[in-house]
Structure formats: C-alpha cells, structure tokens
Short mmCIF file of all heavy atoms in Angstrom, two decimals:
data_model
loop_
_atom_site.label_atom_id
_atom_site.label_comp_id
_atom_site.label_asym_id
_atom_site.label_seq_id
_atom_site.Cartn_x
_atom_site.Cartn_y
_atom_site.Cartn_z
N MET A 1 110.47 89.72 103.76
CA MET A 1 109.26 89.73 104.57
C MET A 1 109.13 91.06 105.27
O MET A 1 110.05 91.81 105.47
CB MET A 1 109.32 88.60 105.62
CG MET A 1 110.36 88.74 106.68
SD MET A 1 110.39 87.38 107.82
CE MET A 1 108.79 87.51 108.63
N ILE A 2 107.87 91.35 105.73
CA ILE A 2 107.58 92.56 106.49
C ILE A 2 107.45 92.11 107.95
O ILE A 2 106.67 91.17 108.25
CB ILE A 2 106.32 93.21 106.02
CG1 ILE A 2 106.38 93.62 104.54
CG2 ILE A 2 105.99 94.48 106.86
CD1 ILE A 2 107.40 94.69 104.19
N VAL A 3 108.19 92.80 108.87
CA VAL A 3 107.98 92.53 110.23
C VAL A 3 107.39 93.78 110.89
O VAL A 3 107.58 94.87 110.46
CB VAL A 3 109.36 92.13 110.97
CG1 VAL A 3 109.89 90.85 110.37
CG2 VAL A 3 110.38 93.25 110.80
N ILE A 4 106.75 93.53 112.00
CA ILE A 4 106.12 94.58 112.76
C ILE A 4 106.87 94.94 114.02
O ILE A 4 107.11 93.97 114.88
CB ILE A 4 104.69 94.19 113.17
CG1 ILE A 4 103.84 93.83 111.93
CG2 ILE A 4 104.00 95.20 114.02
CD1 ILE A 4 103.44 94.96 111.04
N ARG A 5 107.28 96.17 114.15
CA ARG A 5 107.95 96.56 115.40
C ARG A 5 106.90 97.10 116.40
O ARG A 5 106.62 98.24 116.47
CB ARG A 5 108.94 97.66 115.09
CG ARG A 5 110.12 97.08 114.25
CD ARG A 5 111.21 98.15 114.10
NE ARG A 5 111.87 98.48 115.31
CZ ARG A 5 112.70 99.50 115.54
NH1 ARG A 5 112.94 100.35 114.51
NH2 ARG A 5 113.23 99.77 116.71
N LYS A 6 106.26 96.08 117.04
CA LYS A 6 105.14 96.35 117.89
C LYS A 6 105.43 97.47 118.93
O LYS A 6 104.53 98.20 119.34
CB LYS A 6 104.82 95.08 118.71
CG LYS A 6 103.70 94.19 118.19
CD LYS A 6 103.39 93.16 119.26
CE LYS A 6 102.52 92.12 118.73
NZ LYS A 6 102.31 91.02 119.70
N GLU A 7 106.65 97.46 119.40
CA GLU A 7 107.02 98.43 120.45
C GLU A 7 106.89 99.84 120.03
O GLU A 7 106.85 100.76 120.84
CB GLU A 7 108.44 98.10 121.02
CG GLU A 7 109.59 98.43 120.06
CD GLU A 7 109.85 97.32 119.04
OE1 GLU A 7 108.97 96.45 118.80
OE2 GLU A 7 110.93 97.39 118.43
N LEU A 8 106.91 100.11 118.71
CA LEU A 8 106.79 101.44 118.22
C LEU A 8 105.38 101.89 117.94
O LEU A 8 105.07 103.06 117.65
CB LEU A 8 107.60 101.58 116.89
CG LEU A 8 109.05 101.37 116.98
CD1 LEU A 8 109.73 101.65 115.59
CD2 LEU A 8 109.74 102.24 117.99
N CYS A 9 104.42 100.95 118.03
CA CYS A 9 103.02 101.21 117.79
C CYS A 9 102.31 101.53 119.08
O CYS A 9 102.31 100.71 119.98
CB CYS A 9 102.39 100.05 117.09
SG CYS A 9 100.62 100.33 116.79
N PRO A 10 101.73 102.74 119.25
CA PRO A 10 101.04 103.02 120.46
C PRO A 10 99.80 102.23 120.72
O PRO A 10 99.27 102.21 121.86
CB PRO A 10 100.67 104.57 120.28
CG PRO A 10 100.67 104.78 118.85
CD PRO A 10 101.71 103.82 118.25
N GLN A 11 99.32 101.58 119.73
CA GLN A 11 98.15 100.64 119.85
C GLN A 11 96.95 101.34 120.42
O GLN A 11 96.28 100.76 121.31
CB GLN A 11 98.58 99.36 120.69
CG GLN A 11 99.81 98.70 120.05
CD GLN A 11 100.13 97.38 120.65
OE1 GLN A 11 99.19 96.57 120.94
NE2 GLN A 11 101.38 97.10 120.90
N ASN A 12 96.67 102.54 119.93
CA ASN A 12 95.55 103.31 120.44
C ASN A 12 94.69 103.90 119.33
O ASN A 12 93.93 104.78 119.62
CB ASN A 12 96.07 104.42 121.40
CG ASN A 12 96.94 105.42 120.69
OD1 ASN A 12 97.15 105.38 119.48
ND2 ASN A 12 97.43 106.36 121.43
N HIS A 13 94.87 103.34 118.08
CA HIS A 13 94.08 103.94 117.02
C HIS A 13 93.89 102.85 115.89
O HIS A 13 94.67 101.88 115.86
CB HIS A 13 94.69 105.19 116.44
CG HIS A 13 96.15 104.99 115.96
ND1 HIS A 13 97.21 105.05 116.83
CD2 HIS A 13 96.68 104.83 114.73
CE1 HIS A 13 98.34 104.85 116.14
NE2 HIS A 13 98.02 104.73 114.86
N ALA A 14 92.93 103.09 115.07
CA ALA A 14 92.69 102.26 113.93
C ALA A 14 93.85 102.53 112.96
O ALA A 14 94.12 103.61 112.59
CB ALA A 14 91.35 102.58 113.26
N CYS A 15 94.49 101.45 112.56
CA CYS A 15 95.66 101.54 111.67
C CYS A 15 95.28 102.07 110.28
O CYS A 15 94.60 101.33 109.55
CB CYS A 15 96.43 100.23 111.56
SG CYS A 15 97.95 100.39 110.69
N PRO A 16 95.81 103.17 109.88
CA PRO A 16 95.49 103.73 108.54
C PRO A 16 96.15 103.00 107.40
O PRO A 16 95.83 103.31 106.22
CB PRO A 16 95.93 105.20 108.65
CG PRO A 16 96.93 105.25 109.62
CD PRO A 16 96.69 104.16 110.62
N THR A 17 97.03 102.07 107.71
CA THR A 17 97.75 101.42 106.56
C THR A 17 96.95 100.23 106.05
O THR A 17 97.27 99.74 104.97
CB THR A 17 99.11 100.82 107.05
OG1 THR A 17 98.89 99.81 108.01
CG2 THR A 17 100.00 101.93 107.63
N LEU A 18 95.81 99.83 106.67
CA LEU A 18 95.11 98.69 106.20
C LEU A 18 94.67 98.87 104.76
O LEU A 18 94.89 98.05 103.88
CB LEU A 18 93.97 98.33 107.15
CG LEU A 18 94.30 97.23 108.16
CD1 LEU A 18 95.35 97.73 109.16
CD2 LEU A 18 93.05 96.72 108.83
N PRO A 19 93.98 100.03 104.51
CA PRO A 19 93.51 100.28 103.08
C PRO A 19 94.68 100.58 102.12
O PRO A 19 94.43 100.63 100.94
CB PRO A 19 92.55 101.48 103.25
CG PRO A 19 92.94 102.11 104.52
CD PRO A 19 93.50 101.06 105.39
N VAL A 20 95.85 100.88 102.64
CA VAL A 20 97.03 101.21 101.80
C VAL A 20 97.54 99.91 101.08
O VAL A 20 98.01 99.96 99.98
CB VAL A 20 98.13 101.82 102.64
CG1 VAL A 20 99.46 101.88 101.89
CG2 VAL A 20 97.72 103.21 103.05
N CYS A 21 97.37 98.78 101.72
CA CYS A 21 97.87 97.54 101.19
C CYS A 21 97.04 97.02 100.06
O CYS A 21 95.84 96.80 100.18
CB CYS A 21 97.97 96.48 102.34
SG CYS A 21 98.58 94.88 101.73
N PRO A 22 97.63 96.85 98.88
CA PRO A 22 96.82 96.50 97.67
C PRO A 22 96.32 95.08 97.71
O PRO A 22 95.43 94.76 96.91
CB PRO A 22 97.82 96.71 96.51
CG PRO A 22 99.16 96.55 97.12
CD PRO A 22 99.04 97.08 98.54
N VAL A 23 96.80 94.22 98.59
CA VAL A 23 96.44 92.84 98.61
C VAL A 23 95.77 92.38 99.91
O VAL A 23 95.48 91.27 100.12
CB VAL A 23 97.60 91.82 98.29
CG1 VAL A 23 98.09 92.08 96.88
CG2 VAL A 23 98.72 92.05 99.26
N GLY A 24 95.46 93.42 100.78
CA GLY A 24 94.79 93.07 102.01
C GLY A 24 95.61 92.20 102.97
O GLY A 24 95.03 91.40 103.69
N ALA A 25 96.90 92.40 102.96
CA ALA A 25 97.72 91.50 103.81
C ALA A 25 97.84 92.05 105.19
O ALA A 25 98.38 91.29 106.01
CB ALA A 25 99.18 91.41 103.16
N ILE A 26 97.45 93.27 105.45
CA ILE A 26 97.52 93.84 106.84
C ILE A 26 96.21 93.67 107.55
O ILE A 26 95.18 93.97 107.01
CB ILE A 26 97.94 95.28 106.74
CG1 ILE A 26 99.23 95.48 105.94
CG2 ILE A 26 98.16 95.88 108.17
CD1 ILE A 26 99.59 96.90 105.60
N SER A 27 96.24 93.23 108.80
CA SER A 27 95.03 93.13 109.53
C SER A 27 95.32 93.67 110.94
O SER A 27 96.45 93.78 111.40
CB SER A 27 94.47 91.71 109.59
OG SER A 27 95.43 90.86 110.06
N GLN A 28 94.29 93.99 111.67
CA GLN A 28 94.36 94.53 113.01
C GLN A 28 93.20 94.09 113.85
O GLN A 28 92.05 94.14 113.41
CB GLN A 28 94.35 96.07 112.91
CG GLN A 28 94.57 96.82 114.24
CD GLN A 28 94.50 98.31 114.15
OE1 GLN A 28 93.71 98.82 113.38
NE2 GLN A 28 95.25 99.01 114.96
N GLN A 29 93.51 93.70 115.02
CA GLN A 29 92.40 93.33 116.02
C GLN A 29 92.26 94.50 116.96
O GLN A 29 93.20 94.81 117.67
CB GLN A 29 92.86 92.10 116.86
CG GLN A 29 93.06 90.82 115.97
CD GLN A 29 91.80 90.31 115.40
OE1 GLN A 29 90.75 90.33 116.05
NE2 GLN A 29 91.80 89.81 114.20
N GLY A 30 91.08 95.16 116.90
CA GLY A 30 90.93 96.31 117.75
C GLY A 30 91.93 97.37 117.44
O GLY A 30 92.18 97.67 116.28
N PHE A 31 92.53 97.93 118.46
CA PHE A 31 93.58 98.93 118.25
C PHE A 31 94.94 98.37 118.50
O PHE A 31 95.94 99.04 118.72
CB PHE A 31 93.34 100.15 119.19
CG PHE A 31 92.24 101.03 118.83
CD1 PHE A 31 91.82 102.01 119.65
CD2 PHE A 31 91.63 100.89 117.54
CE1 PHE A 31 90.73 102.91 119.31
CE2 PHE A 31 90.52 101.73 117.21
CZ PHE A 31 90.17 102.77 118.11
N SER A 32 95.08 97.02 118.43
CA SER A 32 96.38 96.39 118.67
C SER A 32 97.29 96.68 117.53
O SER A 32 96.89 97.14 116.47
CB SER A 32 96.20 94.90 118.84
OG SER A 32 95.71 94.38 117.69
N ALA A 33 98.57 96.33 117.67
CA ALA A 33 99.47 96.49 116.57
C ALA A 33 99.08 95.62 115.39
O ALA A 33 98.59 94.50 115.60
CB ALA A 33 100.93 96.14 117.01
N PRO A 34 99.19 96.09 114.16
CA PRO A 34 98.73 95.32 113.05
C PRO A 34 99.58 94.10 112.83
O PRO A 34 100.70 93.98 113.33
CB PRO A 34 98.82 96.29 111.87
CG PRO A 34 99.79 97.29 112.26
CD PRO A 34 99.70 97.42 113.80
N THR A 35 99.11 93.18 111.96
CA THR A 35 99.94 91.98 111.60
C THR A 35 99.92 91.97 110.08
O THR A 35 99.08 92.54 109.44
CB THR A 35 99.36 90.68 112.15
OG1 THR A 35 98.01 90.59 111.68
CG2 THR A 35 99.43 90.69 113.65
N VAL A 36 100.95 91.31 109.57
CA VAL A 36 101.08 91.20 108.11
C VAL A 36 101.14 89.70 107.74
O VAL A 36 101.87 88.97 108.36
CB VAL A 36 102.38 91.88 107.62
CG1 VAL A 36 102.64 91.46 106.15
CG2 VAL A 36 102.28 93.40 107.73
N ASP A 37 100.37 89.34 106.79
CA ASP A 37 100.30 87.96 106.26
C ASP A 37 101.41 87.94 105.13
O ASP A 37 101.09 88.42 104.01
CB ASP A 37 98.96 87.60 105.75
CG ASP A 37 98.92 86.19 105.18
OD1 ASP A 37 99.98 85.59 104.89
OD2 ASP A 37 97.79 85.65 105.03
N ASN A 38 102.53 87.46 105.46
CA ASN A 38 103.63 87.49 104.43
C ASN A 38 103.39 86.52 103.28
O ASN A 38 104.09 86.66 102.28
CB ASN A 38 104.98 87.25 105.19
CG ASN A 38 105.50 88.50 105.79
OD1 ASN A 38 105.95 89.44 105.09
ND2 ASN A 38 105.47 88.59 107.15
N ASP A 39 102.47 85.61 103.41
CA ASP A 39 102.14 84.82 102.25
C ASP A 39 101.39 85.61 101.23
O ASP A 39 101.40 85.27 100.05
CB ASP A 39 101.29 83.60 102.72
CG ASP A 39 102.16 82.60 103.51
OD1 ASP A 39 103.33 82.55 103.26
OD2 ASP A 39 101.60 81.93 104.38
N LYS A 40 100.62 86.59 101.68
CA LYS A 40 99.84 87.44 100.74
C LYS A 40 100.70 88.63 100.28
O LYS A 40 100.46 89.13 99.20
CB LYS A 40 98.64 88.08 101.47
CG LYS A 40 97.42 87.15 101.60
CD LYS A 40 96.28 88.00 102.11
CE LYS A 40 95.08 87.11 102.49
NZ LYS A 40 94.01 87.94 103.19
N CYS A 41 101.63 89.10 101.06
CA CYS A 41 102.38 90.29 100.74
C CYS A 41 103.17 90.20 99.48
O CYS A 41 103.79 89.24 99.15
CB CYS A 41 103.36 90.55 101.97
SG CYS A 41 104.53 91.92 101.65
N ILE A 42 103.10 91.30 98.66
CA ILE A 42 103.78 91.35 97.41
C ILE A 42 104.92 92.30 97.42
O ILE A 42 105.51 92.73 96.39
CB ILE A 42 102.80 91.72 96.22
CG1 ILE A 42 102.08 93.05 96.47
CG2 ILE A 42 101.74 90.56 95.99
CD1 ILE A 42 101.36 93.62 95.28
N CYS A 43 105.30 92.74 98.61
CA CYS A 43 106.49 93.64 98.76
C CYS A 43 106.35 94.95 98.00
O CYS A 43 107.35 95.44 97.41
CB CYS A 43 107.80 92.92 98.41
SG CYS A 43 108.15 91.59 99.52
N CYS A 44 105.22 95.52 97.99
CA CYS A 44 105.04 96.83 97.38
C CYS A 44 105.62 97.89 98.20
O CYS A 44 105.91 99.00 97.76
CB CYS A 44 103.56 97.15 97.06
SG CYS A 44 102.66 97.56 98.51
N CYS A 45 105.74 97.65 99.49
CA CYS A 45 106.33 98.50 100.49
C CYS A 45 105.57 99.83 100.78
O CYS A 45 106.21 100.71 101.35
CB CYS A 45 107.79 98.73 100.10
SG CYS A 45 108.65 97.18 100.05
N LYS A 46 104.36 99.90 100.46
CA LYS A 46 103.55 101.05 100.81
C LYS A 46 103.45 101.19 102.28
O LYS A 46 103.47 102.30 102.84
CB LYS A 46 102.21 100.94 100.11
CG LYS A 46 102.24 101.18 98.60
CD LYS A 46 100.88 101.15 98.00
CE LYS A 46 100.99 101.43 96.53
NZ LYS A 46 99.69 101.26 95.81
N CYS A 47 103.30 100.09 102.98
CA CYS A 47 103.20 100.10 104.46
C CYS A 47 104.45 100.66 105.05
O CYS A 47 104.44 101.43 105.98
CB CYS A 47 102.78 98.81 105.04
SG CYS A 47 103.96 97.43 104.66
N VAL A 48 105.59 100.18 104.53
CA VAL A 48 106.87 100.62 105.06
C VAL A 48 107.11 102.10 104.90
O VAL A 48 107.64 102.77 105.79
CB VAL A 48 108.06 99.83 104.33
CG1 VAL A 48 109.38 100.35 104.69
CG2 VAL A 48 107.92 98.33 104.57
N LYS A 49 106.57 102.62 103.77
CA LYS A 49 106.69 104.12 103.61
C LYS A 49 105.69 104.85 104.45
O LYS A 49 105.77 106.03 104.63
CB LYS A 49 106.47 104.42 102.05
CG LYS A 49 107.60 103.98 101.29
CD LYS A 49 107.29 104.11 99.76
CE LYS A 49 108.33 103.44 98.91
NZ LYS A 49 107.85 103.08 97.59
N SER A 50 104.62 104.11 104.89
CA SER A 50 103.56 104.82 105.60
C SER A 50 103.87 104.96 107.14
O SER A 50 103.43 105.91 107.79
CB SER A 50 102.26 104.02 105.47
OG SER A 50 101.85 104.04 104.14
N CYS A 51 104.53 103.94 107.71
CA CYS A 51 104.67 103.95 109.13
C CYS A 51 106.02 103.13 109.50
O CYS A 51 106.17 102.06 108.92
CB CYS A 51 103.53 103.35 109.82
SG CYS A 51 103.69 103.21 111.62
N ALA A 52 106.69 103.65 110.41
CA ALA A 52 108.00 103.01 110.82
C ALA A 52 107.81 101.66 111.58
O ALA A 52 108.76 100.93 111.73
CB ALA A 52 108.77 103.97 111.75
N VAL A 53 106.59 101.41 111.92
CA VAL A 53 106.29 100.09 112.59
C VAL A 53 106.58 98.92 111.59
O VAL A 53 106.95 97.87 112.01
CB VAL A 53 104.85 100.04 113.10
CG1 VAL A 53 104.47 98.68 113.49
CG2 VAL A 53 104.73 100.98 114.34
N PHE A 54 106.38 99.26 110.29
CA PHE A 54 106.54 98.18 109.25
C PHE A 54 107.99 98.26 108.80
O PHE A 54 108.46 99.25 108.32
CB PHE A 54 105.63 98.44 108.11
CG PHE A 54 104.18 98.34 108.43
CD1 PHE A 54 103.47 99.42 108.94
CD2 PHE A 54 103.45 97.17 108.20
CE1 PHE A 54 102.15 99.36 109.28
CE2 PHE A 54 102.10 97.04 108.53
CZ PHE A 54 101.46 98.16 109.05
N VAL A 55 108.67 97.09 108.93
CA VAL A 55 110.12 97.06 108.55
C VAL A 55 110.27 95.92 107.52
O VAL A 55 109.80 94.79 107.73
CB VAL A 55 110.99 96.88 109.74
CG1 VAL A 55 112.46 96.65 109.36
CG2 VAL A 55 110.88 98.05 110.70
N SER A 56 111.01 96.22 106.46
CA SER A 56 111.26 95.18 105.50
C SER A 56 112.56 94.41 105.84
O SER A 56 113.57 95.03 106.14
CB SER A 56 111.39 95.80 104.10
OG SER A 56 112.03 94.98 103.22
N ILE A 57 112.52 93.14 105.67
CA ILE A 57 113.72 92.36 105.69
C ILE A 57 113.78 91.53 104.39
O ILE A 57 113.03 90.65 104.15
CB ILE A 57 113.71 91.36 106.89
CG1 ILE A 57 113.65 92.09 108.24
CG2 ILE A 57 114.95 90.43 106.87
CD1 ILE A 57 113.60 91.22 109.49
N GLY A 58 114.65 92.10 103.51
CA GLY A 58 114.87 91.44 102.22
C GLY A 58 113.63 91.47 101.29
O GLY A 58 113.45 90.63 100.42
N CYS A 59 112.84 92.48 101.45
CA CYS A 59 111.61 92.58 100.65
C CYS A 59 111.56 93.87 99.82
O CYS A 59 111.33 93.75 98.62
CB CYS A 59 110.42 92.62 101.67
SG CYS A 59 108.80 92.55 101.03
N CYS A 60 111.85 94.95 100.41
CA CYS A 60 111.73 96.25 99.68
C CYS A 60 113.05 96.84 99.26
O CYS A 60 113.10 97.78 98.51
CB CYS A 60 111.06 97.31 100.56
SG CYS A 60 109.54 96.69 101.34
N GLU A 61 114.12 96.29 99.69
CA GLU A 61 115.39 96.92 99.54
C GLU A 61 115.79 97.18 98.06
O GLU A 61 116.40 98.12 97.71
CB GLU A 61 116.49 96.11 100.20
CG GLU A 61 116.45 96.22 101.77
CD GLU A 61 115.36 95.36 102.37
OE1 GLU A 61 114.56 94.72 101.65
OE2 GLU A 61 115.33 95.31 103.58
N ASN A 62 115.33 96.26 97.19
CA ASN A 62 115.68 96.43 95.78
C ASN A 62 114.52 97.01 94.94
O ASN A 62 114.56 97.04 93.78
CB ASN A 62 116.07 95.02 95.17
CG ASN A 62 117.24 94.43 95.88
OD1 ASN A 62 118.15 95.21 96.25
ND2 ASN A 62 117.21 93.15 96.12
N GLY A 63 113.45 97.38 95.67
CA GLY A 63 112.33 97.96 95.04
C GLY A 63 111.48 96.95 94.29
O GLY A 63 110.64 97.24 93.47
N ARG A 64 111.72 95.73 94.60
CA ARG A 64 110.88 94.63 94.00
C ARG A 64 110.88 93.40 94.91
O ARG A 64 111.69 93.32 95.79
CB ARG A 64 111.39 94.31 92.60
CG ARG A 64 112.75 93.68 92.57
CD ARG A 64 113.37 93.69 91.22
NE ARG A 64 114.76 93.26 91.24
CZ ARG A 64 115.19 92.04 91.02
NH1 ARG A 64 114.29 91.09 90.79
NH2 ARG A 64 116.39 91.73 91.10
N ASP A 65 109.98 92.52 94.63
CA ASP A 65 109.87 91.29 95.40
C ASP A 65 110.96 90.30 95.01
O ASP A 65 110.98 89.81 93.87
CB ASP A 65 108.45 90.70 95.17
CG ASP A 65 108.25 89.49 96.07
OD1 ASP A 65 109.20 89.01 96.73
OD2 ASP A 65 107.08 89.05 96.15
N PRO A 66 111.88 89.99 95.94
CA PRO A 66 113.01 89.07 95.57
C PRO A 66 112.48 87.71 95.22
O PRO A 66 113.15 86.94 94.55
CB PRO A 66 113.90 89.06 96.80
CG PRO A 66 112.97 89.55 97.95
CD PRO A 66 112.01 90.49 97.31
N ARG A 67 111.22 87.40 95.65
CA ARG A 67 110.74 86.05 95.29
C ARG A 67 110.39 85.92 93.81
O ARG A 67 110.21 84.86 93.28
CB ARG A 67 109.42 85.78 96.15
CG ARG A 67 109.68 85.68 97.63
CD ARG A 67 108.40 85.61 98.38
NE ARG A 67 107.60 86.87 98.15
CZ ARG A 67 106.43 87.10 98.73
NH1 ARG A 67 105.91 86.18 99.54
NH2 ARG A 67 105.79 88.19 98.48
N LEU A 68 110.32 87.08 93.12
CA LEU A 68 110.05 87.10 91.68
C LEU A 68 111.31 87.07 90.83
O LEU A 68 111.24 86.98 89.64
CB LEU A 68 109.20 88.33 91.30
CG LEU A 68 107.83 88.41 92.08
CD1 LEU A 68 107.11 89.67 91.66
CD2 LEU A 68 106.99 87.18 91.80
N ALA A 69 112.44 87.17 91.54
CA ALA A 69 113.73 87.28 90.80
C ALA A 69 114.01 85.95 90.05
O ALA A 69 113.56 84.94 90.48
CB ALA A 69 114.87 87.61 91.76
S1 SF4 B 101 101.30 100.46 112.70
FE1 SF4 B 101 101.71 102.62 112.59
S2 SF4 B 101 99.93 103.50 111.54
FE2 SF4 B 101 99.38 101.45 112.25
S3 SF4 B 101 98.37 101.68 114.26
FE3 SF4 B 101 100.58 101.37 114.64
S4 SF4 B 101 101.51 103.40 114.69
FE4 SF4 B 101 99.46 103.59 113.74
S1 SF4 B 102 104.58 95.56 101.54
FE1 SF4 B 102 102.80 96.12 100.37
S2 SF4 B 102 101.75 94.12 100.03
FE2 SF4 B 102 103.22 93.83 101.70
S3 SF4 B 102 102.00 94.22 103.55
FE3 SF4 B 102 102.99 96.13 103.01
S4 SF4 B 102 101.47 97.25 101.73
FE4 SF4 B 102 100.88 95.10 101.86
#
C-alpha cells in the first residue's frame, strides 16, 4: 500500500502528482496533503518517485504489485 507522510507535505500547493497517477488514485482537497485510494492503486510507484510524502509499504519494493503475484 501507499501511505502519506502528511508531516512532510507543506500543504500549500496543488499537488503535481495527481496527474502522474495512471489510475486516478490520488486526490487532494484544496491544498491539503493528498490521499491515496489503495483499492484503486496499481503500485506503479510513480508517486513514490515524485515526492517523498508518498511511501510504499510492500507495494513498490519488488517493482511490481505483490497482489498480482
Ligand atoms: S505530496 Fe508532495 S508534491 Fe504533493 S502537495 Fe505534498 S509536498 Fe507537494
Ligand atoms: S503507486 Fe502508482 S497507482 Fe498507486 S497511487 Fe501512486 S501513482 Fe497511483
């Protein structure tokens, strides 16, 4: 899953990672820290590579989605 380290996000700008996600799993209310819908997430890890706020737990480590193993 992808977790959000809210404390690292200054929450003062539109999150540029929203259009990076190929399945639209990232959303943001105003300039708040984004959220990830892990039911939609396919573990492509583009968000993880884009910003340190996004952290993978058992999702990106093998370069693929462990749910597909
Ligand atoms: S998650 Fe990262 S890129 Fe997105 S708003 Fe926060 S600091 Fe900016
Ligand atoms: S890992 Fe990929 S699919 Fe999952 S939230 Fe991040 S960009 Fe979207």
Side-chain angles (χ1 to χ4, degrees):
M1 69 182 292
I2 301 294
V3 296
I4 301 291
R5 293 186 65 192
K6 263 190 192 175
E7 70 279 14
L8 297 183
C9 178
Q11 305 190 43
N12 62 3
H13 56 278
C15 184
T17 66
L18 267 68
V20 165
C21 179
V23 294
I26 305 170
S27 55
Q28 183 184 34
Q29 298 292 321
F31 287 170
S32 62
T35 57
V36 169
D37 181 343
N38 278 289
D39 290 331
K40 280 191 189 171
C41 174
I42 57 169
C43 294
C44 75
C45 301
K46 288 182 178 173
C47 60
V48 174
K49 291 172 188 157
S50 299
C51 177
V53 166
F54 297 84
V55 175
S56 163
I57 298 179
C59 187
C60 308
E61 288 77 355
N62 300 322
R64 64 196 173 95
D65 185 348
R67 294 171 300 181
L68 302 177

